Every structure is written in structure tokens, then in C-alpha cells.
């Protein structure tokens, strides 16, 4: 598995001229790599993450995930590719309140044509045990703490064994202790699954858990020593 982006640019046309948000970002991440992307607000971190997640198209440059350029796919192919290859964790957990913890983790599998239901459910139970919620499978999100909800969101992101796991401020809504726990959990699961993990964060505490840190500034991405 590898993620290779080369000279990615993103411009937004506005009434007062073109805003160049990404000005040529290149990055190669091999299987098992993890990086925390930091940088000031408005520097383009989320824009970059959305492009890596194929949710947004770059203006220029190339993106290859496992050698596939996702932006050359048709919309239905791209949706299937994203579902199968990329897991997302957002700042807000986005759990469905009417569904149980186990059902929430299984949501991505509902639109996946290739999965075997019994195996997938066993894997979802396994993931929930690994995030420490093996005894909360039938609970509703409202019965969980903020940290527990985010742990469910992490299990949901991993249920289809994505090659690429992306997280945008995954600890942004949590207190310090829960933030630390969710950060450590993300990295532990990343190491077990050997996916590529890219996290965008303002949190120095979260970033310092990562083997590599990078900073977005003035449209460029720099690795920090
Ligand atoms: P960060 O995640 O680093 O805070 P973002 O990637 O969210 O930054 O945003 C980078 C910049 O791009 C911001 O100045 C934002 O206003 C601008 N931007 C984002 N989306 C659009 C859009 N659709 N049109 C114009 N500007 C946008």
C-alpha cells in the first residue's frame, strides 16, 4: 500500500481573484507510515486531507493510492474505491443516534458489495473489543461518553480494513485525558493494521505521539525535524 501525491495544487476562484491554498504539495507514504499534519488555521490542512480522501479534487498535480489515480475514476467507481480503501474519523463522531454501537460500526459495510456479513460482523465485534467497548455493543451513542463515542467512530473507520486512515482533529472535542486515550488508540490500531495514517490536528499533545510531524504553511507542506 502506498500513497503518493506530487505537486498537488488547490485554487479557489473568488470574486476578488484566485486563492491558492495548496501551492505544490508532494508526499510519499508507504504502508505503515503515520504523520500528523499541523499548521495555522486556514493554512489548507483540511483541504489537503479532503483531497487525500478523494472528497475534493485537486486543481493540479497527481494523487495515487496503491497506484490508482482516484480522480480518473467515474463517480460510482470513486465512491466504491473510497468506501473500500479509505477510512475517515472526523472531529465530530457522526454516529447515528438511533443505531446501536455495533450497528454504527457496521454502517460502512451496508454499501459494500464484496463483504461477507458474518465475517464482517465478527470483525466489527473484534474492533469494538480492541477499542475497549466490547461490553457496550447494544448501547446507543447517547449512553456513551464523548471519548467512547469517538472510539466507536475509530472502529467504524476501520471496519472495511482501509489502506488509508484519515482523521481531521479527531481529539478536538475531547478533554485532555480522553484526547490522549483516543490518540494512543488511533496509533495502536494503525500499528496493528499497518495502514497509512494521516491526522490533521492543532493539538501538540496528539502530534507528539506520531513518529513524523509535518506543517502546512503558505501552501506548502514541510516535515518537521
Ligand atoms: P485549515 O484546515 O488549515 O484550517 P482549510 O483547508 O479548511 O484550512 O482552509 C484553507 C483556506 O481555504 C481557508 O482560507 C478557507 O477559507 C479556504 N477555502 C476553503 N474552501 C473554500 C471554498 N470552497 N472557496 C473559497 N475558499 C475556500
Amino acid at each position: 500500500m502506498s500513497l503518493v501525491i506530487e505537486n498537488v495544487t488547490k485554487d479557489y476562484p473568488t470574486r476578488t481573484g484566485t486563492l491558492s491554498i495548496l501551492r505544490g504539495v508532494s508526499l510519499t507514504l508507504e504502508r505503515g507510515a503515520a504523520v500528523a499534519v499541523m499548521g495555522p488555521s486556514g493554512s489548507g490542512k483540511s483541504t489537503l486531507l479532503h483531497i487525500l480522501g478523494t472528497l475534493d479534487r485537486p486543481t493540479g498535480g497527481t494523487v495515487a493510492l496503491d497506484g490508482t489515480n482516484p480522480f480518473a475514476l467515474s463517480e460510482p467507481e470513486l465512491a466504491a474505491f473510497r468506501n473500500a480503501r479509505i477510512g475517515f474519523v472526523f472531529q465530530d463522531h457522526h454516529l447515528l443516534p438511533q443505531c446501536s454501537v455495533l450497528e454504527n460500526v457496521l454502517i460502512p459495510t451496508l454499501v459494500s458489495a464484496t463483504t461477507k456479513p458474518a465475517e464482517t460482523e465478527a470483525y466489527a465485534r473484534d474492533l469494538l473489543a480492541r477499542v475497549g467497548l466490547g461490553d457496550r455493543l447494544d448501547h446507543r451513542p447517547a449512553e456513551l461518553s464523548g471519548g467512547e463515542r469517538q472510539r466507536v467512530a475509530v472502529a467504524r473507520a476501520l471496519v472495511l480494513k482501509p489502506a488509508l486512515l484519515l482523521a481531521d482533529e479527531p481529539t478536538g472535542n475531547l478533554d485532555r485525558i480522553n484526547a490522549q486515550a483516543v490518540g494512543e488508540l488511533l496509533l495502536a490500531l494503525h500499528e496493528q493494521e499497518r495502514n497509512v495514517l494521516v491526522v490533521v490536528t492543532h493539538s501538540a499533545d496528539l502530534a507528539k505521539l506520531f513518529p513524523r510531524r509535518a506543517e502546512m504553511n503558505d501552501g506548502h507542506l514541510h516535515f518537521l525535524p
Side-chain angles (χ1 to χ4, degrees):
M1 186 287 143
S2 65
L3 172 67
V4 181
I5 72 168
E6 278 172 358
N7 207 21
V8 163
T9 59
K10 183 69 183 179
D11 297 338
Y12 288 113
T14 68
R15 273 184 294 122
T16 50
T18 300
L19 275 178
S20 295
I21 304 302
L22 303 180
R23 297 168 181 261
V25 174
S26 300
L27 179 66
T28 296
L29 296 171
E30 301 292 345
R31 182 164 191 225
V35 62
V37 177
M38 308 188 71
S41 187
S43 60
K45 302 182 298 297
S46 297
T47 301
L48 175 64
L49 205 76
H50 290 163
I51 290 171
L52 299 181
T54 73
L55 297 167
D56 199 1
R57 282 172 189 269
T59 306
T62 59
V63 175
L65 184 58
D66 280 339
T68 298
N69 170 9
F71 301 110
L73 301 174
S74 67
E75 277 303 322
E77 285 170 342
L78 179 59
F81 177 89
R82 186 188 300 126
N83 184 246
R85 305 285 190 98
I86 308 175
F88 295 92
V89 179
F90 301 98
Q91 180 165 350
D92 184 71
H93 52 79
H94 293 299
L95 299 180
L96 298 180
Q98 69 277 29
C99 292
S100 71
V101 162
L102 180 61
E103 286 165 348
N104 266 288
V105 173
L106 287 168
I107 299 264
T109 72
L110 299 178
V111 291
S112 172
T114 56
T115 51
K116 300 178 183 138
E119 271 176 35
T120 310
E121 186 175 323
Y123 188 61
R125 288 172 182 273
D126 171 49
L127 278 170
L128 281 164
R130 282 151 70 193
V131 303
L133 294 171
D135 56 352
R136 311 293 292 273
L137 302 182
D138 298 328
H139 287 223
R140 307 284 142 183
E143 297 162 343
L144 304 179
S145 71
E148 287 166 345
R149 285 180 205 142
Q150 200 60 328
R151 278 145 62 189
V152 178
V154 170
R156 180 187 53 195
L158 290 171
V159 73
L160 290 175
K161 303 186 182 177
L164 176 62
L165 178 59
L166 301 174
D168 197 348
E169 295 287 4
T171 62
N173 286 349
L174 303 178
D175 62 58
R176 207 181 148 90
I177 290 171
N178 277 301
Q180 180 77 14
V182 166
E184 287 173 0
L185 181 68
L186 259 179
L187 275 155
L189 288 166
H190 151 74
E191 275 164 27
Q192 289 163 20
E193 301 294 310
R194 303 222 358 107
N195 47 32
V196 170
L197 171 61
V198 182
V199 169
V200 159
T201 186
H202 281 105
S203 164
D205 287 340
L206 177 60
K208 76 173 184 240
L209 298 175
F210 280 71
R212 292 165 86 197
R213 284 171 291 280
E215 189 172 45
M216 278 296 305
N217 226 325
D218 203 23
H220 296 282
L221 186 73
H222 304 281
F223 274 90
L224 299 172

